[in-house]
Amino acid sequence: FNETAQKTLAEQAVAFLNAYWAEVSSQAEFIFTVGYEFMKKADMHAKGVQLIHLYNEGCDVDFDIGLYFFEQLCKFLEDPKNSHWVSEEFKPSQPEMMTALKRKQELREKVDVNFDGRVSMLEYLLYQYQDVANPSDFVTRSMTSAEEHPEITKARLALEEVNKRIRAYEAEKSRLTDIANGTGVKALAAKNELAQLDSSPLAAELNKALIT
């Protein structure tokens, strides 16, 4: 269990889905597109990192950031524009609404199953889908599960590709911004390139791939 919980957030999500594909395959889109993204953003928030290309993906967060994760997730789901994610289809993925005090108690007593004072992606998933999953069963399934399900592989590779393109986009934007802040012909040229980059199809495409 602890070995899996020390892997990156994305790798933990893959391990969980691989163990419980029969039960939670219908929630895979939510797990990768919403749950994982918000856990990643919470980890970035904890590390004071705003740009993907400067972020090294971690494996867990402390209780305060775990609380922040659930708050941001609930706020996202309460927004009418995100109604797709609160449909009956994704009901198993909906976090239970509760006070911050109650949530912190849940984190300590029910989510943090290895009692290390931190919340991993795996622990969040086991908690959220506790109707079909639990830590001891996960360990058993992980030891006997077959190779990665093709649908999980497809989702994982798609996620890796999006993150790769975001990193490249942000790195180039950061480079041009630094030059544009200077003076002279190079600065003017960089400003022009920045404008083109921001209005490019790639920017629009990546914005669709991100939860804002």
Side-chain angles (χ1 to χ4, degrees):
F1 181 91
N2 287 334
E3 184 180 336
T4 302
Q6 288 302 309
K7 294 181 178 181
T8 65
L9 301 175
E11 288 172 330
Q12 291 177 52
V14 167
F16 174 82
L17 281 168
N18 208 42
Y20 290 100
W21 186 252
E23 294 85 356
V24 299
S25 58
S26 63
Q27 306 304 304
E29 185 184 2
F30 187 101
I31 290 171
F32 275 123
T33 310
V34 183
Y36 163 71
E37 284 296 328
F38 272 95
M39 185 63 84
K40 183 175 71 176
K41 286 187 174 185
D43 188 33
M44 290 174 70
H45 174 74
K47 294 173 177 174
V49 178
Q50 294 182 323
L51 299 174
I52 291 288
H53 76 282
L54 299 177
Y55 169 63
N56 289 317
E57 188 166 302
C59 60
D60 57 23
V61 296
D62 63 28
F63 283 170
D64 286 336
I65 297 300
L67 186 62
Y68 171 83
F69 159 73
F70 275 105
E71 287 174 347
Q72 294 302 306
L73 179 58
C74 290
K75 191 179 295 183
F76 171 81
L77 295 172
E78 287 171 355
D79 191 325
K81 72 179 182 182
N82 301 317
S83 59
H84 167 67
W85 299 111
V86 292
S87 63
E88 190 66 24
E89 178 186 358
F90 297 112
K91 190 174 181 180
S93 297
Q94 308 307 309
E96 182 184 345
M97 301 299 291
M98 59 184 71
T99 64
L101 192 64
K102 175 64 174 173
R103 180 79 70 194
K104 207 152 192 180
Q105 184 181 354
E106 287 278 301
L107 290 175
R108 186 176 294 106
E109 297 178 2
K110 296 182 180 180
V111 183
D112 180 22
V113 294
N114 64 354
F115 308 109
D116 65 351
R118 301 184 69 80
V119 179
S120 65
M121 184 71 187
L122 177 59
E123 287 172 321
Y124 152 64
L125 293 171
L126 288 170
Y127 170 75
Q128 182 61 49
Y129 303 101
Q130 58 189 285
D131 287 348
V132 297
N134 66 71
S136 60
D137 183 52
F138 169 78
V139 172
T140 301
R141 291 190 182 208
S142 296
M143 292 169 67
T144 58
S145 60
E147 293 181 4
E148 188 173 282
H149 192 283
E151 287 297 320
I152 300 175
T153 303
K154 182 180 176 182
R156 176 176 58 77
L157 292 176
L159 181 66
E160 288 174 2
E161 180 60 25
V162 168
N163 282 333
K164 180 182 176 182
R165 296 180 74 182
I166 290 171
R167 286 176 182 273
Y169 173 81
E170 285 188 350
E172 178 62 8
K173 187 172 181 177
S174 180
R175 184 187 72 82
L176 290 172
T177 299
D178 287 343
I179 298 173
N181 287 332
T183 57
V185 177
K186 281 188 176 181
L188 288 172
K191 286 177 182 177
N192 183 51
E193 286 186 62
L194 266 175
Q196 291 179 23
L197 187 66
D198 286 338
S199 60
S200 68
L202 175 61
E205 186 183 329
L206 292 180
N207 279 333
K208 283 183 181 179
L210 290 170
I211 298 172
T212 54

